[in-house]
Structure formats: C-alpha cells, structure tokens
Amino acid sequence: MMNKPNRNPFTNARRGIFETFRTERNFKIHTGCAVLAIALGIITRLSVSDWRWIALCITLVFAFELLNTALEAMVDLVSPTYHRVAKKAKDAAAGAVLVGAIFALLVGASIFLPKLGVYFFD
C-alpha cells in the first residue's frame, strides 16, 4: 500500500534517512566520514570554496547511498531469490556509491593534505 498523503511533505524523506542510518552500516560509516571532514574543515579553517566542495561530496555520497538502499530494497522485493539480473542491478548501484566515495576521497585529499602538511611538517 502506498503512503497516505501527509501534511508535512518532508516526513517520509526524513523517515527514509533515519531508517537508512539505523539499518545500513555503510551509511553510518559515511556519516562518520562526513563528521570527520567537517571537524577537519573547522580545524583547518577551510575557505568558502573548499567548504562548497566538501558539502558537495558529502551530499553526493549520502544521496548515492540512499538511492542504493532504495534500489536494493526494491530488488529484494521483486526478486527474493537469487537472479543474475537482480545481482547486476544491486552491484551497479553499489558501484555508484563507490564512485562517489572515491571522488569524495580524492577531493578531500586535495583539500586537506596540503593544510594538514602545514600542521605536521612546518
């Protein structure tokens, strides 16, 4: 059964985010990485431009992880037993998260490594 109309249009979205956080280990890992990036950004006094890149990376990884979770749930619903096409869909969605996470890691490294190098090597 579809969700009933809701007076607050953000209720279902908020529920989806919290449920994904509660049940998905990788979402918790991504959240920890986001908190670490934000803390490092505060410590290293990032520029507005750098903050934009960090915010973009955090947002992309969270969005990909939420979409991956949604796709996996749908595939499990329509194909409860193993099927090679279902596996292909789930693997591709997981791959999208990995691509986003690698992008975020590279952006984070390009921003933070030079700043952290000043702290440790100057």
Side-chain angles (χ1 to χ4, degrees):
M1 176 162 66
M2 295 297 292
N3 291 334
K4 294 179 183 179
N6 205 321
R7 290 182 193 199
N8 183 347
F10 299 106
T11 299
N12 293 334
R14 197 171 41 246
R15 186 179 305 121
I17 293 168
F18 288 132
E19 182 65 14
T20 300
F21 178 82
R22 189 180 72 75
T23 61
E24 299 296 322
R25 180 179 59 92
N26 287 342
F27 198 85
K28 290 175 186 168
I29 292 169
H30 294 307
T31 300
C33 291
V35 168
L36 177 63
I38 292 167
L40 279 174
I42 292 167
I43 291 167
T44 61
R45 297 184 178 145
L46 292 183
S47 67
V48 171
S49 177
D50 287 344
W51 274 118
R52 286 184 189 124
W53 281 104
I54 297 301
L56 174 66
C57 289
I58 290 169
T59 301
L60 285 175
V61 172
F62 281 165
F64 288 158
E65 190 64 52
L66 288 162
L67 289 170
N68 178 51
T69 299
L71 188 135
E72 285 186 353
M74 287 301 299
V75 168
D76 289 346
L77 178 67
V78 299
S79 182
T81 60
Y82 176 84
H83 192 283
R84 65 179 178 81
V85 176
K87 180 183 181 337
K88 182 178 179 181
K90 290 171 86 169
D91 289 351
V97 177
L98 180 61
V99 168
I102 290 171
F103 174 73
L105 181 65
L106 293 173
V107 169
S110 72
I111 290 171
F112 288 120
L113 287 180
K115 293 179 184 317
L116 292 174
V118 169
Y119 282 105
F120 294 111
F121 301 111
D122 272 359

